[in-house]
Structure formats: C-alpha cells, structure tokens
Amino acid sequence: GVGQDGELWIRGPQIMKGYLGRPKETADSITKEGWYRTGDIVVLDERDDYVYVGRRDRMVKRRGHRVELNEIESGLYRHADIQEAAVVALKSEDGVRIRAFVAPKDGATLGIIGLKRFSAEHLPSSMVPDDFVLLPALPKTSTDKIDYQRLIALATPTP
C-alpha cells in the first residue's frame, strides 16, 4: 500500500534464468515463477511510483563495483588492535562515501593513517573506507548488536 516499504521483485522476459554455476544464489534470488528479488527496498508513493529507500543486504555500488559493507567490516576485524568495527555508506556528490567506525582493544592505540594503510593492504581499493571515526566503543541496540542507525546519525551532519 501507499507509504509502505518492501522489497522490490521484478519479472519479465529480460530477467535472467539464474546465476551461472551458482545454484544457491539462483534459489535465493529467483522464484520458480520467474520473479527476481532485487534486494532493493522501496516505498510506494501516492502516484504509484516506487521510491528507492535502501538495500536489504547492505550492498552499495561504488566506483562501478558492487561492495558488500559486511566484507569491509570483516577485513577491518583482521587488524590485531580492533575490538569492534562497523561501516556505513553515505551519499555524496560523487557517489558513495564509506565511513568506518572502529573501537580499539583495551590498551591499543589506533591512528587514522595506520588504519588507511591497513585497509589498503587488506581490501580491494573500491572497499577502502574514505573516513575513519575512532570511538571507545560502538553504540549498541537493546539486544547488544551494533546500532547502525545511531552510527548513521553520527555520520550525517545536521542542517
């Protein structure tokens, strides 16, 4: 209904039959009836147009590459002095900026230049965060999961 959000599914002769050699991805994305789950979350507006809200899977397109934000976080967790890491994507004039929030392990000292260097050595260039924010601990939800909404609010300047 109008104002409700949901995942966009599409169907038609242009839709692929599946992922070559990847039956699990095919089963997860394409129904037996030929509907393709795009992973895009949309809202139906008053004119019956779909308005893009975000992604179901935290995937963004950056510099022509599809980037999964969770993969960046996994790469950051390889750093010996990182206790917690979370990554958010922010819209910018030139596309998408990736901001990483990191909390050091007890007694460890992290620096922005060192984090940039580590990321460049362990991640593809399209996945290296543009910015790093150092925090003593990352904000948590009531269920003790990283609170991405609060991180996005921290990353977004108020007008």
Side-chain angles (χ1 to χ4, degrees):
V2 173
Q4 295 181 331
D5 64 347
E7 184 177 358
L8 180 65
W9 290 33
I10 57 176
R11 185 173 122 173
Q14 295 83 5
I15 301 300
M16 64 185 176
K17 302 290 184 217
Y19 292 96
L20 183 62
R22 295 168 52 192
K24 181 184 180 334
E25 286 87 349
T26 299
D28 290 345
S29 299
I30 302 172
T31 69
K32 289 180 177 40
E33 298 81 22
W35 287 95
Y36 174 67
R37 299 179 64 182
T38 67
D40 294 330
I41 304 300
V42 296
V43 172
L44 184 64
D45 71 11
E46 303 81 31
R47 298 183 326 221
D48 282 340
D49 292 328
Y50 293 105
V51 179
Y52 177 79
V53 174
R55 293 279 307 165
R56 172 178 47 89
D57 55 7
R58 299 191 67 223
M59 184 177 295
V60 297
K61 192 151 188 174
R62 183 170 189 230
R63 299 183 200 143
H65 299 274
R66 293 170 78 79
V67 174
E68 175 60 58
L69 299 178
N70 292 340
E71 289 182 29
I72 299 172
E73 291 173 359
S74 293
L76 292 173
Y77 274 112
R78 290 187 211 135
H79 192 294
D81 292 330
I82 290 179
Q83 177 69 36
E84 297 178 300
V87 176
V88 297
L90 306 168
K91 292 180 185 175
S92 73
E93 294 173 4
D94 56 344
V96 173
R97 289 188 66 75
I98 294 176
R99 180 161 297 157
F101 293 86
V102 295
K105 289 184 177 175
D106 287 338
T109 302
L110 295 172
I112 302 300
I113 294 172
L115 289 169
K116 276 281 211 189
R117 186 177 299 124
F118 177 86
S119 297
E121 291 170 358
H122 293 89
L123 294 168
S125 62
S126 61
M127 295 172 71
V128 173
D130 297 297
D131 308 302
F132 287 87
V133 177
L134 302 174
L135 298 171
L138 300 186
K140 303 290 190 309
T141 64
S142 61
T143 58
D144 205 37
K145 303 224 187 279
I146 292 174
D147 190 339
Y148 285 95
Q149 298 307 314
R150 284 189 45 206
L151 291 175
I152 290 170
L154 284 172
T156 308
T158 53

